[in-house]
Amino acid sequence: MGDLRQAPPGAKRAAGARYPSEIVAEAGEELFGSEWAAPMARLTDTNERTVRRVRQAAREGRDYPAARGLLAALSERLAALARDLGPFRRRQPPPAP
């Protein structure tokens, strides 16, 4: 997903830093494709209109206040899914001698 460094609120972005809205948008597209707003809203239990506003802010290269909370909710939900799916992941074979 690229460089995940975040610009602090109210600060100028450093080279390579991205707004949380941009990180959310990239994650949404990676997870759900181009029509990611509704599935992201369901996954994170966030109002779809809020997610669409975050998406629009990312398209415009700006941040949106709810993006940080949405990013935190996404991170929590994905971590929970990873824990739940842990027993089903394939075991890696031992390295060859």
Side-chain angles (χ1 to χ4, degrees), residues 12 14 39 61 68 74 81:
K12 282 189 160 185
R68 288 179 186 273
L74 177 61
L81 287 170

Side-chain angles (χ1 to χ4, degrees), residues 38-93:
M40 175 75 76
R42 284 190 300 274
L43 177 67
T44 60
D45 197 28
T46 303
N47 185 293
E48 187 177 343
R49 187 172 181 182
T50 299
V51 177
R52 284 187 275 134
R53 288 176 174 166
V54 170
R55 179 184 63 192
Q56 186 61 36
R59 287 178 178 165
E60 296 172 359
R62 62 182 175 81
D63 206 1
Y64 189 77
R68 288 179 186 273
L70 183 55
L71 188 57
L74 177 61
S75 178
E76 289 172 13
R77 189 64 184 123
L78 291 177
L81 287 170
R83 280 190 307 273
D84 291 347
L85 294 174
F88 300 103
R89 72 173 174 239
R90 292 184 179 201
R91 303 286 183 228
Q92 295 293 325

